[in-house]
């Protein structure tokens, strides 16, 4: 008689954060053991079949103590707002590096929480593909661009599979005008993650983390996890013109207020980074 093989757990980082809390509940399954990790303990009851282990992402040894025997790592641990570089460096740059090394050691696939702020300096209203130029709108967005490129490097060099989800605004429901373009419902986020976990040949992919929004700025060329089910337009009657529209910089660019933080150039940058390419469609 053969022994039943033990199921390798899934590691969720950032489990105590706003999205971590949502994901801990939505990803929980009887046949999926989970290790939830964060620098602080979650302020909610752990779902069945899961345990918590604290780790500071910036601390390579603490991350190493999480173990390497994971089926997949859903990496949501990070500083999640625009801040000084010093505040971003530990959790987002070092931390993401440590997590990708952990995944590499255990041959686990990574679902990486990237962000629209990796491309935030594209103009609003321009429809972007997944392979558009990276145009980070601050140190936070830069750290997400770094994570996407790290994923690329580890695929090209080590064959590590990953899905980077460029998350828009993943909140309960849209509250301002920008969200009508950027909203990602919790349900649709979980759908994309499940798609990445279940995909037989994932490779190294980038997916827009956006719901089925009529005003979306992001073209989904590949469907990972099925079609999104939620639609921001349903909230068009209740959203208000918010901080994202309050000044010319925030109102001009997809990243909204993150673009305006620390902005001190004269006027606006040219839309095209590579002028010789003018209007190639790559954004
Ligand atoms: C993000 O990546 C942030 O973590 C979140 O705080 C929101 O600002 C969101 O993007 C957004 O762009 O709405």
């Amino acid at each position: 008689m053969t022994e039943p093989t033990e199921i390798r757990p899934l590691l969720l980082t950032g489990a105590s954060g706003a999205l971590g809390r949502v994901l801990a509940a939505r990803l929980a399954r009887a046949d999926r053991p989970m290790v939830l990790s964060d620098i602080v303990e979650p302020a909610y009851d752990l779902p069945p079949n899961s345990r918590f282990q604290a780790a500071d992402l910036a601390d390579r040894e603490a991350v190493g103590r999480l173990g390497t025997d994971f089926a997949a790592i859903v990496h949501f641990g990070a500083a999640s707002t625009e801040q000084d570089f010093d505040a971003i460096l530990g959790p987002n740059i070092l931390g993401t590096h440590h997590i990708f090394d952990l995944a590499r050691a255990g041959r686990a696939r990574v679902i990486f929480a990237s962000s629209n702020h990796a491309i935030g300096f594209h103009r609003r209203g321009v429809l972007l593909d997944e392979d558009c130029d990276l145009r980070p709108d601050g140190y936070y967005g830069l750290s997400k661009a770094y994570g996407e490129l790290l994923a690329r490097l580890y695929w090209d060099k080590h064959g590590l599979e990953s899905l980077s989800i460029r998350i828009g605004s993943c909140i309960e429901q849209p509250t301002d005008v920008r969200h009508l373009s950027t909203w990602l419902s919790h349900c649709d986020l979980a759908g994309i993650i499940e798609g990445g976990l279940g995909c037989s040949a994932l490779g190294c992919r980038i997916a827009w983390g956006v719901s089925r929004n009529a005003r979306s700025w992001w073209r989904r060329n590949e469907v990972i996890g099925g079609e999104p089910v939620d639609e921001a337009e349903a909230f068009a009657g209740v959203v208000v013109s918010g901080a994202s529209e309050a000044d010319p910089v925030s109102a001009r660019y997809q990243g909204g207020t993150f673009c305006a933080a620390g902005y001190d150039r004269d006027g606006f940058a040219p839309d095209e980074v590579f002028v010789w390419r003018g209007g190639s469609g790559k954004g």
Side-chain angles (χ1 to χ4, degrees):
M1 205 174 102
T2 48
E3 289 292 319
T5 40
E6 200 151 305
I7 305 171
R8 298 167 84 204
L10 180 151
L11 172 63
L12 171 65
T13 70
S16 302
L19 289 184
R21 179 190 195 115
V22 167
L23 291 177
R26 287 190 180 256
L27 297 178
R29 285 192 345 205
D31 61 351
R32 177 187 283 158
M34 287 198 293
V35 176
L36 309 181
S37 185
D38 205 300
I39 198 163
V40 292
E41 288 219 18
Y44 55 85
D45 293 335
L46 299 191
N49 210 10
S50 68
R51 67 176 176 85
F52 176 74
Q53 185 170 337
D56 176 355
L57 289 169
D59 178 346
R60 175 176 277 277
E61 263 125 52
V63 171
R65 283 195 293 276
L66 291 169
T68 52
D69 196 25
F70 297 110
I73 302 178
V74 178
H75 180 40
F76 272 63
S80 64
T81 54
E82 178 56 0
Q83 300 178 50
D84 288 346
F85 183 70
D86 285 349
I88 298 289
L89 177 64
N92 295 27
I93 303 282
L94 297 176
T96 299
H97 184 204
H98 296 156
I99 288 297
F100 271 80
D101 276 350
L102 195 74
R104 188 183 154 204
R107 307 208 68 74
R109 83 174 33 168
V110 179
I111 310 294
F112 170 59
S114 183
S115 166
N116 73 92
H117 296 289
I119 54 87
F121 264 123
H122 284 280
R123 292 279 294 273
R124 293 189 186 203
V126 175
L127 196 60
L128 301 176
D129 294 304
E130 290 95 347
D131 65 347
C132 68
D133 291 327
L134 290 165
R135 291 183 92 160
D137 57 24
Y139 293 122
Y140 167 73
L142 188 61
S143 75
K144 296 300 182 178
Y146 166 82
E148 289 188 13
L149 289 172
L150 188 65
R152 185 82 212 201
L153 170 67
Y154 276 35
W155 167 247
D156 285 337
K157 193 166 267 193
H158 309 302
L160 184 90
E161 289 196 305
S162 66
L163 171 65
S164 296
I165 309 174
R166 259 184 218 148
I167 299 172
S169 305
C170 193
I171 47 179
E172 197 84 40
Q173 65 173 69
T175 57
D176 71 23
V177 171
R178 175 174 169 272
H179 294 156
L180 296 178
S181 302
T182 61
W183 187 52
L184 172 65
S185 72
H186 291 163
C187 172
D188 288 336
L189 171 64
I192 299 170
I193 293 175
E194 290 292 2
L197 293 173
C199 180
S200 57
L202 183 61
C204 175
R205 303 200 205 188
I206 293 172
W208 294 114
V210 67
S211 282
R212 235 178 64 216
N213 306 335
R215 304 188 206 192
S216 172
W217 302 316
W218 308 318
R219 182 163 35 215
R220 299 169 74 245
N221 292 296
E222 258 192 320
V223 177
I224 295 175
E227 290 295 336
V229 295
D230 290 311
E231 158 67 91
E233 211 57 29
F235 300 90
V238 297
V239 298
V240 294
S241 184
S244 284
E245 286 71 47
D247 67 90
V249 177
S250 302
R252 183 180 177 90
Y253 295 115
Q254 298 193 0
T257 54
F258 282 46
C259 300
Y263 192 95
D264 59 5
R265 90 190 301 289
D266 288 332
F268 299 119
D271 288 336
E272 280 292 331
V273 181
F274 303 106
V275 283
W276 44 264
R277 199 167 73 186
S280 67
K282 294 265 185 201

